[in-house]
Amino acid sequence: MKKIEVSYRCCGILIKKKRIIPNAWEDISVEQLIAIAEHYLGITNEDIFLAKICCINRNKIKNMPLYFKYKLANEFKFIVDYSPYNSFIIKNIKQLQSPKNRLEGMSFGQFMFADSFYNNWCENEQAEELNKFIACLYLPENYIFSEKYINTHAQYCAKIDRRIKYAISLNYRLIKEWLTNKYPLIYERNNAEKKQRKTSKNGWVNVFENIVGDDIIHADNYAQLPLHTVLRFLTNKIKENAKIK
């Protein structure tokens, strides 16, 4: 967190207010995350964004000189570059819970479907895809993810405030950046085309089918493997193939 002082005039009187603002993703509150997501998507303007993230009256921001607003916005450079972050800021939605920090305990099957629906939504912006994405991520306590419940669960997620769903999608983008750093051989940061091809549409399904191979009867067991176990396995396979070549 960082302390700042904001000055403005009211009825000709100079007023100074001190505020504590976030300077990293771990400092962001739920409401601030929602404000950032809406700003990214062009739903709100910069005045509303700055007012919410700095906890300052919107009219005070609106009446600030442009240069002051520019300087204030520069305090939030960390949100521009999608800095890697490994946790969900919104932990609970009604009776639903987010995945644990660093996606610990998430199965490969859950991740595979969540990531596919996320990529679909990024392409077509269809509400149905966004609802299914949320339905794959946020689960009731002690619930074991299963593909057969996605559509039913998505109907429940359709009732969630879309502002919250937008915020979760932004948070997930940060987590994908973290995964890129952790597993660079799977997520090729310097080759956007390959990265997109690996992880969009049927990309994960193809990866899953290659892992299962002829052991179709145990496919569900493979889907329940911990995500990081599978990603480490894929990383090792890529390294082995590179040595053979």
Side-chain angles (χ1 to χ4, degrees), residues 108-109 208 211-213 215-216 218-226 230:
F108 179 61
F208 180 70
I211 293 174
V212 173
D215 195 12
I216 304 297
H218 295 122
D220 288 344
N221 293 337
Y222 288 98
Q224 291 303 322
L225 286 171
V230 174

Side-chain angles (χ1 to χ4, degrees), residues 131-194:
N131 291 332
K132 288 181 179 179
F133 162 65
I134 302 297
C136 291
L137 282 182
Y138 281 73
L139 308 176
E141 187 176 6
N142 300 322
Y143 176 90
I144 298 176
F145 174 81
S146 175
E147 176 189 356
K148 62 184 178 181
Y149 296 122
I150 292 176
N151 289 334
T152 301
H153 195 185
Q155 293 175 12
Y156 178 81
C157 291
K159 301 175 184 178
I160 297 172
D161 186 341
R162 66 175 183 173
R163 297 164 61 249
I164 293 176
K165 290 184 282 192
Y166 291 154
I168 292 171
S169 71
L170 169 59
N171 201 158
Y172 185 72
R173 168 75 183 270
L174 306 178
I175 290 174
K176 291 192 71 169
E177 291 297 323
W178 172 74
L179 284 172
T180 300
N181 284 352
K182 190 173 180 63
Y183 302 102
L185 295 182
I186 297 174
Y187 294 91
E188 300 175 71
R189 184 184 296 279
N190 294 327
N191 193 326
E193 182 180 350
K194 286 185 179 180

